[in-house]
Amino acid sequence: GCNLYFIGMMGSGKSTVGDLVARRMGTYNFLDTDLILERAAGMSIPEVFETEGEEAFRVAEAQVLDSVHAHVRIVVSTGGGLVMRNQNWSKLQTGLVVYLKVDPEVIMKRIEGTDRPLLQTDNPLETLQKLTEERKERYEQADVTVEIEEGMSVEDVADKCVRGLHDFIDDNPPAWKQAKAKAAADGLDWVQ
């Protein structure tokens, strides 16, 4: 099985939806890069940002992705900024990438009262909008984009993810299927 990587802004639902999608897939395990990083560091992500800085956090985040990338049949939720490093993006592309697209205004309602290091600014919504814009080009390169609207349940979002993945796979068959179809079209007898 191919690994699935959930990307998107903080508060978009990557962990909650990714876990549900993994359970629905049965033989897949769910991994959250933020949780793994917190366990390895022995502190919360806000504490890592505060004591080590964002650059150290990004380095640790890349190391966590390196470690989970070796597994198979996993659904991985990633940190929102993980996609911005080319080395990380190339690892994500070895699997199927699902972008959970949520408007910044909806995210702000979801994360109210939480401690998000990058939003410790005078205008958190403006900061979130700016971060979304900076990451948009990379996010939109995902194999599947799931647009999430305010009020959608986790189950509804997971349904949209599964449908989107099915459609993507149907529209992008494996190379051997394409070779078999081409051989048949050329009148060649394909070995059964």
Side-chain angles (χ1 to χ4, degrees):
C2 181
N3 291 343
L4 301 179
Y5 295 96
F6 279 80
I7 65 170
M9 290 301 295
M10 62 185 93
S12 62
K14 301 178 298 283
S15 298
T16 306
V17 173
D19 186 37
L20 183 56
V21 168
R23 283 188 275 127
R24 284 192 182 175
M25 294 176 75
T27 59
Y28 275 66
N29 289 313
F30 173 72
L31 298 173
D32 182 328
T33 58
D34 284 349
L35 284 178
I36 293 168
L37 194 151
E38 286 181 333
R39 285 192 192 121
M43 60 180 99
S44 70
I45 287 172
E47 290 170 328
V48 173
F49 266 81
E50 191 177 316
T51 59
E52 308 292 329
E54 183 177 358
E55 182 58 27
F57 169 78
R58 297 293 175 205
V59 169
E61 188 178 52
Q63 291 169 340
V64 168
L65 181 61
D66 285 345
S67 68
V68 302
H69 174 257
H71 293 77
V72 293
R73 301 183 79 80
I74 54 172
V75 176
V76 180
S77 74
T78 64
L82 182 132
V83 299
M84 298 309 289
R85 287 183 174 232
N86 288 335
Q87 73 202 51
N88 295 341
W89 185 246
S90 63
K91 287 184 179 69
L92 298 182
Q93 291 180 306
T94 63
L96 292 178
V97 180
V98 179
Y99 168 34
L100 299 185
K101 185 176 183 180
V102 186
D103 287 337
E105 294 76 12
V106 174
I107 290 174
M108 285 306 297
K109 289 177 187 170
R110 289 179 171 191
I111 65 175
E112 196 173 1
T114 64
D115 187 12
R116 305 290 175 142
L118 293 178
L119 298 183
Q120 303 306 308
T121 62
D122 290 338
N123 189 337
L125 177 58
E126 187 180 292
T127 303
L128 188 61
Q129 290 166 331
K130 189 173 144 224
L131 285 169
T132 302
E133 191 57 38
E134 287 171 5
R135 298 170 181 178
K136 180 180 171 184
E137 185 180 341
R138 191 56 61 86
Y139 284 158
E140 290 180 348
Q141 292 177 42
D143 299 307
V144 175
T145 296
V146 176
E147 296 205 19
I148 301 172
E149 316 211 347
E150 192 171 7
M152 284 178 75
S153 70
V154 176
E155 290 77 14
D156 290 342
V157 176
D159 288 345
K160 279 184 87 169
C161 291
V162 171
R163 270 195 309 277
L165 287 162
H166 277 290
D167 291 346
F168 179 82
I169 292 166
D170 286 347
D171 294 343
N172 298 280
W176 68 265
K177 276 192 179 177
Q178 293 169 327
K180 182 177 179 180
K182 183 180 182 326
D186 292 346
L188 298 172
D189 191 20
W190 189 270
V191 178
Q192 297 296 334

